[in-house]
C-alpha cells in the first residue's frame, strides 16, 4: 500500500433511541455526511516510528516500534493476540493489561482512551507496519453527541485494514470491506467508551439512515431507511462538554438500582424508535405531527434517565415557548447537542428568534445540515495528484478552520475521487 493515503468517516445524529440502544433496543440514526473526520496516513522520517498526531485535541505521541515488542513477541502472547483478533465481541484482557502498562505514563491524561483505542487497533490489525504517522483532523465538534469518537474509530479501522492488505478495493468498498470496518470500529468505540451499542460506528461506516438493533448474541441488524426524508431541523451545539463514557455508565448504575422502573423506559424508547422509523419511511402531512410527538416523548424519557442538562433544557423550553417544533437531546446528552424538528407551519420570524437567542444570549452554535449520505471512504495515493497532495499535507499540519478542510476534502463535494 503506497503512502500517503487518506480515509474519512462522517458523524451522525441519533433521531430516536440513544442510551436504550446500549440495551439492545432499536434506534434510528442518520449520518451527517458533511461533518467528517479525515485521517492522513503518511510515511515517517524515522523508519522505526509509529506516531499519532491528533491536533484537534492537542495530542501527539510517538512510539518506537520496539516498544510494542513486549506484546508482540513470544508464543503465549501470539496465542492471546490471535484470540483478540478473532473474538472481537469482547476486549482481550491480555491486550488491555499489556497496553495499560505500556501507556502507564499516559494513564492520568485525558488522552489515555485515544491512545489506548489507537494502539489496540494497531496491534490487532497492522502490527508489522512502522515508519508511519497517523494524523487526524475533524470538522465535527468533539464530545458533542455527533459521534466524533465513532468517526475516528471508523477512519482508523479502514486505514489499518488497508495497511494490512485486508481491504484492497480500488473502485468501490465492498459489503465485506464495510463489515470489516464496522466490526473493528466497534472495537475502537469499546476502547473509548466501554459498552457502546454500535449504532454510531455502524452509521459512520455505512452512511445513510438506519434502523439499528444489536441482538443479544452481539450481531448487528439494521435496515436502511430508504429515501430518508429531508426533515426541516436544526442542530444546536450547547458547547457544554461531557463524556459519553460517564453518561453511559451513569445510566447503567440507574438501571441496576431501579431495574423495574428504568427497564420499561428503555423498552418504551425502543418501541418509539420502531414507530419513528415507520413514520420516516412514509412521511406525510398526516403523520408529521406524530413524528413531532415522538421526539417530545423521547426527550422526556431521556430526562427520566438523568442525561439532560439545564443547557439542553433551555433549548427545549425555547422551542416550546416559540412553538416552532419539538426538541430532544441527541447523542449521550449531559450537554453536547440538541435536535429540533421544525413544525411545517413554524413561523420564520419565530425560527429566527430561536436561533438569535441561542447564538447571542447563550453562546451556542447552530448547525444546519442535511442528514444521510456518504459513509466511510478512502483516497488512495494513486488518486491524489502531487499538487493536491501538497495542499492536503498543509491542512494536516497547520491550524486551518474546517471550511478549508471541506473545500479540499469533502467527499461528494470536492473534486478528489474518493472511493466509497
Ligand atoms: N478529532 C479528534 N481527534 C482525536 N480524538 C478524537 C477526535 N474526535 C473524537 N476523538 C475521541 O473521541 C472522544 C470523544 O468521544 P465521545 O465522548 O463519545 O463524544 P462524541 O462521540 O459525541 O463526540 C475524545 O475524547 C477523543 O478520545
Ligand atoms: C449514548 C449512546 O446511545 C450514543 C452516544 O453517542 P455520542 O458518543 O454522544 O455521539 C451510546 C451508544 O449508543 O453507544
Ligand atoms: Mg462517541
Amino acid at each position: 500500500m503506497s503512502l500517503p493515503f487518506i480515509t474519512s468517516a462522517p458523524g451522525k445524529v441519533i433521531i430516536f433511541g440513544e442510551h436504550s440502544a446500549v440495551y439492545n433496543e432499536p434506534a434510528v440514526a442518520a449520518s451527517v455526511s458533511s461533518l467528517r473526520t479525515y485521517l492522513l496516513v503518511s510515511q515517517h522520517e524515522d523508519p522505526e516510528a509509529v506516531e499519532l498526531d491528533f491536533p484537534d485535541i492537542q495530542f501527539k505521541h510517538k512510539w518506537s516500534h520496539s516498544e510494542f515488542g513486549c506484546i508482540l513477541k513470544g508464543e503465549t502472547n501470539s496465542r492471546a493476540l490471535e484470540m483478540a483478533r478473532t473474538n472481537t465481541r469482547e476486549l482481550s484482557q491480555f491486550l488491555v493489561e499489556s497496553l495499560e502498562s505500556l501507556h502507564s505514563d499516559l494513564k492520568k491524561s485525558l488522552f489515555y482512551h485515544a491512545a489506548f483505542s489507537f494502539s489496540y487497533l494497531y496491534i490487532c490489525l497492522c502490527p508489522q507496519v512502522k515508519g508511519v504517522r497517523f494524523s487526524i483532523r475533524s470538522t465535527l465538534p468533539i464530545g458533542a453527541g455527533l459521534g466524533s469518537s465513532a468517526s475516528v474509530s471508523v477512519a482508523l479501522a479502514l486505514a489499518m485494514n488497508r495497511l494490512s492488505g485486508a481491504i484492497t478495493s480500488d473502485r468501490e468498498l465492498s459489503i465485506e470491506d464495510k463489515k470489516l470496518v464496522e466490526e473493528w470500529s466497534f472495537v475502537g468505540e469499546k476502547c473509548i467508551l466501554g459498552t457502546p451499542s454500535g449504532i454510531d460506528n455502524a452509521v459512520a461506516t455505512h452512511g445513510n439512515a438506519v434502523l439499528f438493533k444489536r441482538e443479544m448474541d452481539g450481531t448487528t441488524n439494521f435496515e436502511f431507511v430508504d429515501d430518508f426524508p429531508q426533515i426541516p431541523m436544526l442542530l444546536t451545539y450547547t458547547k457544554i462538554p461531557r463524556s459519553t463514557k460517564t453518561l453511559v455508565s451513569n445510566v447503567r448504575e440507574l438501571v441496576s438500582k431501579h431495574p423495574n422502573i428504568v427497564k420499561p423506559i428503555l423498552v418504551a424508547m425502543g418501541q418509539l424508535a420502531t414507530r419513528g422509523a415507520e413514520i420516516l419511511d412514509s412521511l406525510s402531512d398526516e403523520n408529521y405531527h406524530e413524528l413531532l410527538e415522538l421526539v417530545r416523548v423521547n426527550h422526556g424519557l431521556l430526562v427520566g434517565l438523568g442525561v439532560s442538562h439545564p443547557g439542553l433544557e433551555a433549548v427545549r423550553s425555547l422551542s416550546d415557548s416559540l412553538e416552532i417544533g419539538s426538541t430532544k437531546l441527541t447523542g449521550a446528552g449531559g450537554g453536547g447537542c440538541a435536535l429540533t424538528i421544525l413544525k411545517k407551519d413554524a413561523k420564520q420570524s419565530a425560527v429566527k428568534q430561536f436561533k438569535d437567542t441561542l447564538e447571542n444570549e447563550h453562546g451556542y452554535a447552530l448547525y444546519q445540515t442535511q442528514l444521510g449520505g456518504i459513509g466511510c471512504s478512502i483516497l488512495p495515493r494513486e488518486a491524489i495528484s502531487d499538487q493536491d497532495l501538497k495542499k492536503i499535507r498543509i491542512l494536516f499540519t497547520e491550524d486551518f478552520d474546517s471550511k478549508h478542510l471541506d473545500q479540499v476534502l469533502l467527499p461528494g463535494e470536492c473534486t478528489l475521487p474518493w472511493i466509497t
Side-chain angles (χ1 to χ4, degrees):
M1 176 79 220
S2 33
L3 297 180
F5 68 92
I6 308 171
T7 60
S8 173
K12 60 85 230 255
V13 171
I14 298 183
I15 300 167
F16 296 114
E18 45 279 271
H19 288 288
S20 43
V22 174
Y23 299 84
N24 304 312
E25 294 295 337
V28 181
S31 66
V32 193
S33 117
S34 59
L35 295 174
R36 303 184 75 90
T37 292
Y38 300 96
L39 165 65
L40 173 70
V41 184
S42 57
Q43 196 148 11
H44 203 287
E45 314 73 67
D46 172 356
E48 289 301 311
V50 177
E51 188 174 284
L52 192 60
D53 187 8
F54 286 179
D56 297 331
I57 58 168
Q58 283 94 46
F59 177 54
K60 197 171 178 155
H61 196 82
K62 185 171 110 178
W63 293 272
S64 167
H65 190 262
S66 58
E67 288 178 71
F68 295 114
C70 58
I71 304 176
L72 294 169
K73 288 191 186 133
E75 220 172 281
T76 325
N77 290 8
S78 296
R79 269 200 303 273
L81 287 177
E82 203 37 49
M83 279 287 288
R85 289 178 187 122
T86 44
N87 177 16
T88 52
R89 296 221 178 118
E90 304 293 332
L91 291 186
S92 143
Q93 210 41 41
F94 160 76
L95 199 44
V96 170
E97 282 165 18
S98 307
L99 290 173
E100 241 166 35
S101 63
L102 182 68
H103 299 150
S104 52
D105 52 331
L106 290 171
K107 191 72 190 143
K108 286 205 179 76
S109 98
L110 285 172
F111 310 123
Y112 180 75
H113 287 101
F116 170 59
S117 173
F118 168 83
S119 45
Y120 192 106
L121 294 182
Y122 169 79
I123 296 273
C124 286
L125 294 174
C126 58
Q128 72 289 0
V129 173
K130 51 189 180 171
V132 68
R133 178 183 285 112
F134 295 82
S135 315
I136 283 206
R137 292 296 311 266
S138 185
T139 59
L140 272 159
I142 298 170
L146 300 184
S148 73
S149 60
S151 70
V152 168
S153 296
V154 170
L156 284 171
L158 175 54
M160 289 181 183
N161 275 299
R162 184 78 176 193
L163 285 166
S164 73
I167 291 181
T168 53
S169 318
D170 56 7
R171 280 168 180 242
E172 195 181 0
L173 294 171
S174 64
I175 301 282
E176 289 71 33
D177 292 340
K178 290 193 178 173
K179 278 252 153 252
L180 201 57
V181 172
E182 190 199 332
E183 179 182 355
W184 281 100
S185 55
F186 183 57
V187 174
E189 274 277 85
K190 264 196 185 149
C191 294
I192 292 178
L193 71 87
T195 55
S197 65
I199 190 168
D200 288 13
N201 62 292
V203 171
T205 302
H206 300 278
N208 296 315
V210 295
L211 172 65
F212 172 94
K213 187 170 181 337
R214 177 165 294 279
E215 303 297 345
M216 293 305 273
D217 66 1
T219 54
T220 59
N221 201 331
F222 49 86
E223 292 160 29
F224 288 102
V225 180
D226 293 329
D227 298 326
F228 188 74
Q230 286 308 325
I231 327 158
M233 49 154 262
L234 294 168
L235 265 180
T236 306
Y237 177 30
T238 62
K239 303 186 188 164
I240 298 161
R242 87 298 174 281
S243 137
T244 301
K245 187 178 170 64
T246 312
L247 288 147
V248 168
S249 69
N250 291 350
V251 172
R252 189 165 295 284
E253 240 173 69
L254 195 70
V255 175
S256 63
K257 216 164 151 190
H258 307 291
N260 296 340
I261 301 166
V262 180
K263 280 187 184 161
I265 298 183
L266 301 170
V267 173
M269 286 177 163
Q271 302 273 347
L272 196 149
T274 307
R275 178 65 193 137
E278 279 168 15
I279 296 177
L280 288 168
D281 237 349
S282 57
L283 195 62
S284 65
D285 286 346
E286 286 71 49
N287 61 21
Y288 197 83
H289 177 71
E290 200 187 333
L291 182 74
L292 294 173
E293 229 164 46
L294 293 181
V295 168
R296 194 189 68 226
V297 175
N298 197 164
H299 181 73
L301 296 173
L302 287 161
V303 172
L305 294 182
V307 296
S308 190
H309 183 281
L312 289 164
E313 290 310 310
V315 184
R316 196 220 17 91
S317 147
L318 188 63
S319 82
D320 284 355
S321 53
L322 290 170
E323 299 182 0
I324 59 165
S326 275
T327 295
K328 70 180 273 292
L329 68 86
T330 183
C337 284
L339 162 72
T340 302
I341 303 211
L342 297 172
K343 278 184 186 166
K344 289 230 160 134
D345 58 356
K347 288 202 185 82
Q348 281 311 306
S349 57
V351 175
K352 183 172 181 315
Q353 191 182 340
F354 178 73
K355 288 189 199 163
D356 288 350
T357 309
L358 294 173
E359 279 174 349
N360 304 330
E361 288 178 25
H362 295 265
Y364 296 170
L366 276 107
Y367 290 98
Q368 223 154 359
T369 169
Q370 299 236 316
L371 296 185
I374 299 172
C376 67
S377 36
I378 184 163
L379 196 56
R381 170 67 185 100
E382 299 73 26
I384 317 173
S385 70
D386 290 348
Q387 203 184 358
D388 282 333
L389 190 57
K390 240 189 229 164
K391 276 195 238 164
I392 292 168
R393 281 192 194 282
I394 294 173
L395 288 175
F396 280 85
T397 48
E398 291 180 14
D399 196 15
F400 274 119
D401 65 16
S402 42
K403 253 195 232 131
H404 281 98
L405 277 168
D406 284 343
Q407 269 164 12
V408 179
L409 287 173
L410 186 61
E413 295 287 325
C414 73
T415 52
L416 295 166
W418 285 95
I419 295 171
T420 59

